[in-house]
Amino acid sequence: MNDKKIKILFIIGNNRSGTTILQNILGQLDGYVSVGELKYIWDRGFLRNKLCGCGVPFRECEFWTTISEHPPSIINKYDPYQLFQLGESFRVQHLPSTVIPYNRKKLFSRLATYMEAVENTYQAIQSVTGSRIIVDSSKNPAYGYLLSHMSSIDLHILHVIRDSRAVAYSWSKKKLFQPGTTNPYYMPQKGPLICALQWNVRNAFIELWFQRSGKNYRQLRYEDFVKAPCQTVESIIDFVGEPATSLPFISDTDVLLEKNHSVFGNLVRFQTGKVSIRHDVAWMSKFSNLSKALVTLLTLPWLFKYGYLTKKNGEKG
Ligand SMILES: [Zn+2]
């Protein structure tokens, strides 16, 4: 029965697309819970014990301890290292092979333990929190593909798109994953060429697999979200069909954020209190002209498609 399914709002797209604050806002809505990038729970959570969004190391966070011990007790039933390896073994480049039924069957058989553990984790999150919607911002298309084939999950896909040049600029910067100066934990960096290619591939696969599949799918541009955050959140609530009694906005662009339990994500997830949502356009002045030109050239058709090359709809609109 559809009513018994676990409803998940899955934020998909390229990393560094400015989705963290959106996920934090959604997680504060009545009946919603945001768990950050759940795909990484086995590695960054159980194995490496990185900080939860609440500021406590994952294995010491009460929220995650309760969930991991909730029957069938994922912490006792599964080996996080095995699950991490299984999860990493299926990537976006493997998606095309799944159009062949034999390959698909083989894949689901090979990843059966992984898929069962993931389903059990969402089930435990729903049972412990009593939430109607779980917001997962893993963004990974291969992981999203697996979720879309889990019979207990009612998946809503929110495809967040951000200007490729802003994404590539963000990847070029040295950024911390979590606070702390004694043992700094940095996000990986990538050059403009690889960023541009990945941006194309991810968006293409996401459209191919989710938009055309007839599943619940919606596109959102980061630039449109920061222009009208409150209206955007209201439209996402409509999209998932689960009303929320109040929104955390204190003005058109300011929100009041509480502590969250995102398992993984960027530094923004640790922000609490009054947070102003603003359009980050640093890439326009700080990204080198050569890098900007390279990324523009390599992503030209999609930049045009998503309206980034017209004054009316682009970054300057
Ligand atoms: Zn926590």
Side-chain angles (χ1 to χ4, degrees), residues 16-75:
R16 319 288 175 96
S17 291
T19 61
T20 308
I21 198 157
L22 175 64
Q23 143 217 303
N24 286 354
I25 295 169
L26 292 168
Q28 274 190 227
L29 305 178
D30 173 41
Y32 289 57
V33 63
S34 176
V35 291
E37 300 178 23
L38 199 77
K39 172 180 165 38
Y40 305 100
I41 190 172
W42 316 110
D43 174 31
R44 268 70 172 230
F46 289 113
L47 292 173
R48 297 166 74 186
N49 203 27
K50 297 297 179 187
L51 291 186
C52 172
C54 67
V56 173
F58 176 84
R59 290 199 297 265
E60 290 151 42
C61 167
E62 209 181 317
F63 176 88
W64 286 111
T65 307
T66 311
I67 286 165
S68 56
E69 288 173 356
H70 188 273
S73 184
I74 53 170
I75 187 63

Side-chain angles (χ1 to χ4, degrees), residues 39-200:
K39 172 180 165 38
Y40 305 100
I41 190 172
W42 316 110
D43 174 31
R44 268 70 172 230
F46 289 113
L47 292 173
R48 297 166 74 186
N49 203 27
K50 297 297 179 187
L51 291 186
C52 172
C54 67
V56 173
F58 176 84
R59 290 199 297 265
E60 290 151 42
C61 167
E62 209 181 317
F63 176 88
W64 286 111
T65 307
T66 311
I67 286 165
S68 56
E69 288 173 356
H70 188 273
S73 184
I74 53 170
I75 187 63
N76 292 316
K77 189 171 180 184
Y78 302 105
D79 171 6
Y81 185 66
Q82 184 204 9
L83 294 178
F84 161 63
Q85 285 190 313
L86 285 173
E88 289 300 300
S89 72
F90 181 56
R91 291 168 177 256
V92 66
Q93 59 266 36
H94 303 130
L95 278 170
S97 69
T98 62
V99 296
I100 300 165
Y102 172 76
N103 289 343
R104 200 161 56 235
K105 202 177 159 191
K106 226 169 93 177
L107 174 77
F108 293 150
S109 167
R110 185 172 68 78
L111 296 183
T113 306
Y114 180 79
M115 291 172 79
E116 180 195 274
V118 170
E119 278 189 289
N120 282 335
T121 306
Y122 287 117
Q123 186 65 62
I125 292 167
Q126 189 185 51
S127 300
V128 169
T129 63
S131 51
R132 291 172 283 132
I133 291 275
I134 298 170
V135 182
D136 180 340
S137 59
S138 296
K139 291 186 282 295
N140 185 291
Y143 183 73
Y145 174 85
L146 295 179
L147 295 189
S148 72
H149 285 85
M150 294 178 189
S151 58
S152 66
I153 287 175
D154 177 15
L155 195 63
H156 285 63
I157 302 277
L158 182 65
H159 178 187
V160 176
I161 297 146
R162 186 180 189 185
D163 191 308
S164 54
R165 295 155 297 184
V167 172
Y169 172 65
S170 180
W171 275 105
S172 74
K173 290 197 298 179
K174 193 173 185 179
K175 287 181 174 178
L176 278 169
F177 255 131
Q178 63 182 42
T181 48
T182 48
N183 188 18
Y185 179 36
Y186 290 105
M187 299 171 96
Q189 289 171 273
K190 283 178 188 170
L193 175 68
I194 192 77
C195 280
L197 297 176
Q198 281 186 345
W199 190 85
N200 286 332

